[in-house]
Amino acid sequence: MPPKAKAPAKAPTKAPAKGGKGDKALQSKSPAQFFADNKNIAGFDNSGKSLYTTVREFVENSLDSAETIGELPKIELHIEEIDKSDYDKSIGLDQITRKDSSIYRDVLVAQKEQERIDKETKKTQAKGGPTKEAAGTSSKKAATGTKAKDRTGIFKVTCKDNGQGMHHKDVPNMLGRVLSGTKYGVKQTRGKFGLGAKMALLWSKMSTGLPVTVRTARKKQDFISVFTLDIDILKNEPNIHKEEKLPNPDHWHGAELSVTIEGNWSTYGFQILKYLRQLAVITPYADFQFKFKSVDESKSKTTWFRRRTDWMPAPPAETKHHPSSVNIELLKNLRDTTKTATLAQFLSKEFTSIGKDYASRLCAELGQDLEPGTPIKEVSDMQFVRLHQLLREAHFDEAD
């Protein structure tokens, strides 16, 4: 018999490297970085819409702040167009002299425009038309009109209110940390995450590089908190440039935010005025003073939507979760934060539409290992899965 062929030797398998570096392409982003990359989610699609959204977020935050303390809202909104030379001065660009003018866009655009004018002038003169000066003047007017129709510029937006203000130590996190806010309860508000105002800060950092200035004071507070800050996008942390406390002899309370952003008034100015007009209709108890200051004084305007009534609806009360709308993770979070001692107390105190008797009946449906008197902290995650399933299947009255 022929000798058996030897089986091919197996290639040695490498043991997985200990402490390997892993995939170099794997990355993680902070909340601030995510929303900076996807700013259209919050309404910051372009410069014009960003100006409009900034105004909306500032004004609605001011309304919520005043309504929370039962104060008739008084809101002052100023939009100032910043001259390019003033903006260049604020960022130190005025001290830089152009060495190679051919690389600048405005120079190239002017050259192409002049070439177009010269070409049109030759054609017009060949046909016995107007002179070069007349053709050039006509073309420049048309170019100026087109530029004015869609002009992106730098605007300083300032919103001042008479609301509850912010605690001094809370200001950096409330404005400089994305997804940090005071509206996470179960209550009707104009906003929930405080994202819009922080997006205005992110847009300022991305479009002009200038920080936001904040002045705020609480009721009966003898000082005004003043901050100049921006957001560290990579770390999602506030970056404080200046912090101080100033005297408050008039006992003013509220907040004043001032941010410098890239915007477009020519295309979105009428939208801002329309928004303020409609807001004045649905909030007749609020007083809105609006001022737009243009580089061209003839285009500046002032509008005052006066308060038409002193009656203001009561602020919405915070409510409890409805048992049929909760998920498993929310149940666990409520267990970890509740002040109740037993399972029955947890159900009757943390949820609407569950009384003491109904809580005991629900506990009876969960099995012998769970009773009304079972300590809530001892209920396991798996038992909460059963509770969640029961809450989905049980009948509850509508929330009040």
Side-chain angles (χ1 to χ4, degrees), residues 126-382:
K127 297 178 181 179
T131 62
K132 179 178 180 180
E133 289 75 11
T137 302
S138 176
S139 299
K140 286 179 182 178
K141 285 183 178 180
T144 304
T146 303
K147 186 178 179 181
K149 188 177 180 181
D150 186 20
R151 185 176 63 183
T152 297
I154 306 299
F155 297 87
K156 183 178 181 181
V157 181
T158 303
C159 187
K160 181 179 180 181
D161 63 59
N162 61 336
Q164 64 178 345
M166 294 173 274
H167 290 288
H168 183 86
K169 64 178 182 179
D170 293 337
V171 173
N173 283 331
M174 290 187 71
L175 293 172
R177 194 186 299 273
V178 175
L179 300 184
S180 174
T182 60
K183 299 180 180 180
Y184 282 105
V186 187
K187 183 172 67 173
Q188 181 182 1
T189 57
R190 291 182 177 86
K192 186 174 180 67
F193 308 108
L195 179 62
K198 297 178 182 69
M199 281 301 304
L201 271 66
L202 288 174
W203 177 245
S204 172
K205 189 176 180 71
M206 290 187 290
S207 62
T208 67
L210 297 178
V212 64
T213 300
V214 187
R215 297 175 68 252
T216 183
R218 306 276 292 183
K219 265 192 171 184
K220 300 180 180 179
Q221 187 170 286
D222 58 0
F223 66 89
I224 297 175
S225 302
V226 182
F227 284 84
T228 302
L229 56 87
D230 61 19
I231 299 178
D232 186 324
I233 295 179
L234 293 179
K235 296 180 180 179
N236 190 32
E237 293 177 353
N239 182 21
I240 302 173
H241 298 259
K242 182 180 179 182
E243 175 184 353
E244 60 180 337
K245 295 181 179 179
L246 300 179
N248 187 17
D250 298 330
H251 295 287
W252 167 74
H253 60 86
E256 181 180 11
L257 275 67
S258 183
V259 63
T260 304
I261 61 174
E262 184 181 276
N264 194 324
W265 175 263
S266 59
T267 56
Y268 272 84
F270 78 98
Q271 293 280 13
I272 292 174
L273 291 172
K274 180 181 178 182
Y275 162 71
L276 292 174
R277 193 176 300 112
Q278 292 176 339
L279 191 61
V281 171
I282 64 175
T283 55
Y285 51 87
D287 189 277
F288 299 98
Q289 297 181 26
F290 172 72
K291 182 178 181 181
F292 171 67
K293 184 178 180 182
S294 174
V295 174
D296 182 356
E297 279 298 327
S298 63
K299 296 181 180 178
S300 299
K301 59 181 64 182
T302 301
T303 306
W304 188 359
F305 299 100
R306 299 174 185 270
R307 181 181 297 117
R308 302 189 305 281
T309 179
D310 290 337
W311 180 84
M312 183 172 64
E318 188 167 350
T319 186
K320 302 175 184 178
H321 292 280
H322 193 272
S324 63
S325 66
V326 296
N327 56 54
I328 298 172
E329 199 60 30
L330 178 57
L331 281 173
K332 295 177 184 177
N333 290 339
L334 290 174
R335 173 196 61 187
D336 296 338
T337 58
T338 186
K339 296 180 180 180
T340 58
T342 66
L343 177 59
Q345 291 175 353
F346 171 75
L347 291 173
S348 61
K349 296 291 185 181
E350 296 293 342
F351 300 97
T352 185
S353 304
I354 299 181
K356 292 182 179 179
D357 293 339
Y358 204 61
S360 298
R361 292 171 62 186
L362 289 171
C363 291
E365 297 295 320
L366 290 171
Q368 296 181 354
D369 55 337
L370 287 176
E371 298 178 353
T374 301
I376 187 62
K377 301 296 183 182
E378 295 181 7
V379 180
S380 67
D381 289 352
M382 191 54 62

